[in-house]
Amino acid sequence: MIKEIAIPKKAGIGLRSKHHQEILETTPDIAWLEVHTENFFAKGGSTLNFLEKITNTYPISFHGVSLSLGSADGLNKEHLVHLKKLIDRFNPGLVSEHLSWTSYNGTYTHDLLPLPYNKEALNLLSNNIEQAQEFLGRQILIENPSTYLAFKSSSMSEDDFINSLAEKSGCAVLLDVNNIYVSGNNNGFDPLRYKIDKKHIKEIHLAGHTFITTSKGGKMIVDTHDDFVCSDVWKLYENTIKYTGAVPTLIEWDDKLPTLQTLLEESQKAQNIINIYDKQHDTQRHTETVY
Amino acid sequence: MTLKDIQKQFIDFIYSNKEFSSAKKDIISPSFEDSMMIYRRHVWFSLINTLETHYESVLNLLGDKLFLKVAKEYVSKHPSNTPDLELYGFKFPEFLRKNKSISRYSSDLATIDISYVKASIAEDFEINTFQEFQNIKQDDYEKIIFHVNPTNIICNLRYDVIHYFEHIKSTQKDKTTPQIGAHENIIITNRNSDNNIQHQNISSLELEFLNQCNKGEKFINIFEKLYKIDQDINLQKILSKLIENQLIIKFTIN
């Protein structure tokens, strides 16, 4: 079993297959890396070999997309078993998932689908998160989603919902600042008024997005993760770091990947902001459990 | 409207384009159709992209337009039933076989394509070398049990598509595309101890050897069975091929 290395309160990048070989060969100066957990669910082979080498060199966090914590028909036990096996073997510094659902009744969408923010959803998610944390033996982080619609049956705002969820379930929060911007634009709320209690925030994501014109001639933003972080999102991030202090921050770029050097330069922008507001430079272990 | 109702209608809309009936009343959006289509496109894009990645040589054979048409038909009939996107589309070769409107070679090519995917994600293993086998005393021969490579994928093909497949995979393409021949053959794909995916033709006798190994038969019993099929059997040659190509990876003496 690989020894857990804490994720430092610095800027890191998402690890994508296009850069695997280069990172192994050149071992660039990167504070930490995040991988998509499901990409390493294989029983064997070169992908797991590669992950072994990477985790011996860099702090790693696991970011999942298919656990479907918001599924109305409960958690997929097989998926949890796979996830636990991977976590037990590689001991990532952080493990995160999403405030969403991806499957129902055995049919999977491989997308992060929206939930209303009401009591039913809060109880469901809280139960599922508690079950997952107990099975995995660790706290998990839940990421705020990018959404393209809202529900009339919501009885609270998204940030109030997330704060309540963290209090109720003991999970932490992965704050995706780009998602706040995307969802705020699409659903008519002010991103600057979005407030998650800083004690819950254990990681931040930054990413690019794309504007589209709707059939009615309006504008929506799609969370495409295929471009640089825009200036409005940088401003939102700066506000966030001013409020939270230094938090591990990830540049999340999944499509139309640039060179590794470009990604590192993008993460340096985040690091510059952290350096301005950071009061402490210790690494703090993110291994607190709620048991 | 419960969460179950909303989620069921979402899934029905995404995969079957069914009208989003009662749940629609609960939704707030500047443009309902655009919002829903963003989700629908994400899902379809992921699944079609996975098929394109898994079935590179079929994509090459059919071309982008025809592949997309076939892939969309597949997705509409095969919603994903796995949380692991890597495991999506394993029934595509069978689906292609039943589709009379496309190339009759595409199904066999797809079989090879997906055999590479399956071999790459199968469980890890340890090996014994042919040298180690040759060091076994003859007295112990009857006690040997062979263990096959867990990543072995057997492909029974109607057409000789392997040269076309290799042409697509090769980074140094020849000027002319190889012809696809019409003869039956058995290809076995696996992952070796260097994590390279490889394939080879095997004979029906070699396949029977592997089948008997899978049943846990001892070496001596396998030899007797194969000798009944072919009295000219060259067991040394067969074993050398199976072990050196890591179709057999281990042996134990019981």
Side-chain angles (χ1 to χ4, degrees):
Chain A
M1 192 173 74
I2 293 168
K3 193 181 166 194
E4 181 183 318
I5 305 176
I7 302 297
K9 291 181 181 180
K10 294 185 173 188
I13 61 171
L15 179 58
R16 302 293 172 261
S17 53
K18 179 179 170 172
H19 302 130
H20 281 188
Q21 208 48 42
E22 191 180 346
I23 288 176
L24 270 185
E25 283 169 6
T26 63
T27 53
D29 184 19
I30 310 172
W32 61 286
L33 295 164
E34 184 161 280
V35 300
H36 282 159
T37 323
E38 286 84 4
N39 288 354
F40 297 92
F41 268 22
K43 289 178 189 167
S46 54
T47 47
L48 287 175
N49 263 332
F50 165 77
L51 190 58
E52 188 113 21
K53 288 176 190 163
I54 281 289
T55 44
N56 283 332
T57 315
Y58 297 99
I60 289 281
S61 80
F62 279 0
H63 188 54
V65 296
S66 290
L67 189 51
S68 199
L69 289 162
S71 269
D73 56 358
L75 293 174
N76 181 321
K77 297 286 185 309
E78 205 182 308
H79 190 92
L80 265 179
V81 166
H82 265 136
L83 180 56
K84 182 164 170 56
K85 223 168 146 177
L86 213 60
I87 288 172
D88 287 349
R89 181 173 168 183
F90 293 105
N91 239 330
L94 294 171
V95 174
S96 55
E97 255 288 350
H98 293 81
L99 170 53
S100 66
W101 61 284
T102 66
S103 70
Y104 177 76
N105 200 25
T107 301
Y108 287 80
T109 65
H110 308 283
D111 195 21
L112 305 168
L113 300 175
L115 288 155
Y117 300 128
N118 55 30
K119 206 171 169 188
E120 185 192 1
L122 182 64
N123 287 340
L124 172 79
L125 269 154
S126 181
N127 284 341
N128 285 346
I129 291 169
E130 281 171 13
Q131 263 187 63
Q133 289 180 145
E134 181 159 347
F135 187 83
L136 299 173
R138 63 189 294 156
Q139 185 188 48
I140 61 177
L141 283 64
I142 302 301
E143 179 181 335
N144 56 297
S146 54
T147 53
Y148 308 100
L149 51 82
F151 293 90
K152 288 178 190 163
S153 55
S154 291
S155 53
M156 56 185 106
S157 64
E158 185 179 288
D159 49 343
D160 282 346
F161 184 90
I162 291 174
N163 283 322
S164 301
L165 185 63
E167 290 293 336
K168 202 168 152 62
S169 69
C171 71
V173 174
L174 189 170
L175 191 71
D176 191 307
V177 174
N178 179 60
N179 287 356
I180 298 171
Y181 184 79
V182 168
S183 301
N185 177 87
N186 292 339
N187 298 305
F189 66 77
D190 183 357
L192 286 169
R193 296 174 76 88
Y194 193 99
K195 267 294 181 300
I196 301 294
D197 190 334
K198 62 180 162 184
K199 73 180 183 206
H200 298 311
I201 301 172
K202 298 281 171 72
E203 187 184 337
I204 291 173
H205 272 185
L206 294 167
H209 54 249
T210 305
F211 278 87
I212 61 165
T213 305
T214 67
S215 54
K216 292 180 181 173
K219 290 273 182 216
M220 283 185 83
I221 309 181
V222 181
D223 185 28
T224 46
H225 290 190
D226 64 355
D227 207 345
F228 292 94
V229 178
C230 77
S231 55
D232 284 342
V233 173
W234 280 123
K235 280 180 198 150
L236 207 52
Y237 173 66
E238 194 170 345
N239 267 347
T240 305
I241 291 293
K242 211 168 159 180
Y243 166 63
T244 58
V247 172
T249 300
L250 189 90
I251 299 295
E252 208 183 13
W253 200 319
D254 298 328
D255 206 1
K256 296 177 191 167
L257 285 168
T259 61
L260 180 60
Q261 185 55 35
T262 303
L263 271 186
L264 293 175
E265 285 166 8
E266 193 76 338
S267 86
Q268 188 57 50
K269 291 181 195 170
Q271 188 59 51
N272 292 342
I273 293 171
I274 291 173
N275 290 344
I276 293 168
Y277 295 102
D278 181 26
K279 290 180 173 66
Q280 324 161 8
H281 291 276
D282 302 340
T283 60
Q284 183 180 334
R285 293 190 69 80
H286 293 279
T287 57
E288 294 109 44
T289 60
V290 293
Y291 314 105
Chain B
M1 174 108 331
T2 63
L3 272 175
K4 283 190 178 181
D5 294 327
I6 293 172
Q7 291 182 2
K8 184 181 181 318
Q9 288 184 38
F10 241 101
I11 296 269
D12 287 344
F13 170 79
I14 283 171
Y15 278 110
S16 314
N17 211 12
K18 278 187 186 161
E19 205 184 299
F20 211 74
S21 50
S22 46
K24 185 177 175 177
K25 293 175 202 157
D26 192 22
I27 286 174
I28 307 167
S29 167
S31 172
F32 173 78
E33 289 76 20
D34 289 297
S35 296
M36 293 305 293
M37 283 312 290
I38 289 172
Y39 289 113
R40 191 162 195 262
R41 272 191 217 112
H42 279 167
V43 174
W44 281 68
F45 176 80
S46 295
L47 298 177
I48 290 171
N49 191 51
T50 299
L51 291 175
E52 285 173 350
T53 306
H54 281 349
Y55 297 101
E56 188 191 354
S57 54
V58 177
L59 172 61
N60 195 276
L61 180 72
L62 300 183
D64 291 345
K65 256 178 151 174
L66 182 53
F67 187 91
L68 181 60
K69 180 173 180 282
V70 174
K72 280 181 177 174
E73 211 180 298
Y74 181 82
V75 171
S76 69
K77 291 179 179 159
H78 296 86
S80 174
N81 59 6
T82 170
D84 187 355
L85 204 46
E86 186 78 16
L87 300 181
Y88 181 72
F90 281 18
K91 291 184 180 168
F92 196 55
E94 192 187 311
F95 171 79
L96 290 174
R97 198 181 291 270
K98 292 176 184 165
N99 192 327
K100 294 192 169 98
S101 65
I102 55 165
S103 162
R104 59 198 167 127
Y105 308 122
S106 56
S107 171
D108 276 6
L109 263 179
T111 301
I112 306 251
D113 273 331
I114 204 64
S115 73
Y116 266 58
V117 174
K118 287 179 182 173
S120 69
I121 59 176
E123 58 184 285
D124 289 331
F125 53 87
E126 291 172 357
I127 63 164
N128 293 125
T129 62
F130 190 60
Q131 179 76 53
E132 285 170 305
F133 173 72
Q134 286 175 314
N135 292 340
I136 298 174
K137 293 177 207 161
Q138 220 157 353
D139 291 342
D140 287 334
Y141 268 23
E142 57 182 53
K143 299 177 205 163
I144 296 174
I145 289 185
F146 290 109
H147 303 269
V148 303
N149 188 326
T151 75
N152 282 351
I153 311 291
I154 297 162
C155 308
N156 288 297
L157 308 177
R158 293 172 299 171
Y159 304 105
D160 186 0
V161 295
I162 201 65
H163 297 298
Y164 185 93
F165 174 81
E166 286 167 351
H167 169 77
I168 299 306
K169 287 290 187 204
S170 167
T171 52
Q172 290 168 341
K173 302 255 190 291
D174 296 329
K175 285 181 187 161
T176 52
T177 309
Q179 292 299 303
I180 295 179
H183 78 79
E184 290 182 1
N185 58 113
I186 308 166
I187 304 285
I188 188 160
T189 306
N190 70 10
R191 192 175 82 235
N192 66 16
S193 50
D194 294 327
N195 269 322
N196 294 320
I197 311 295
Q198 56 190 18
H199 61 257
Q200 44 255 315
N201 274 85
I202 60 167
S203 67
S204 52
L205 214 55
E206 287 158 353
L207 182 60
E208 185 55 27
F209 194 111
L210 292 173
N211 287 339
Q212 293 301 320
C213 291
N214 270 328
K215 289 178 187 172
E217 285 287 357
K218 289 188 183 166
F219 183 27
I220 194 75
N221 296 337
I222 297 175
F223 173 64
E224 281 170 10
K225 282 185 173 132
L226 295 186
Y227 184 74
K228 282 179 189 164
I229 300 169
D230 181 356
Q231 289 177 6
D232 292 327
I233 183 173
N234 183 337
L235 204 54
Q236 185 79 355
K237 192 176 170 191
I238 290 176
L239 264 174
S240 162
K241 176 178 172 177
L242 295 181
I243 294 175
E244 282 174 1
N245 288 300
Q246 293 187 20
L247 301 178
I248 286 173
I249 48 159
K250 262 173 89 72
F251 40 85
T252 47
I253 297 172
N254 291 347

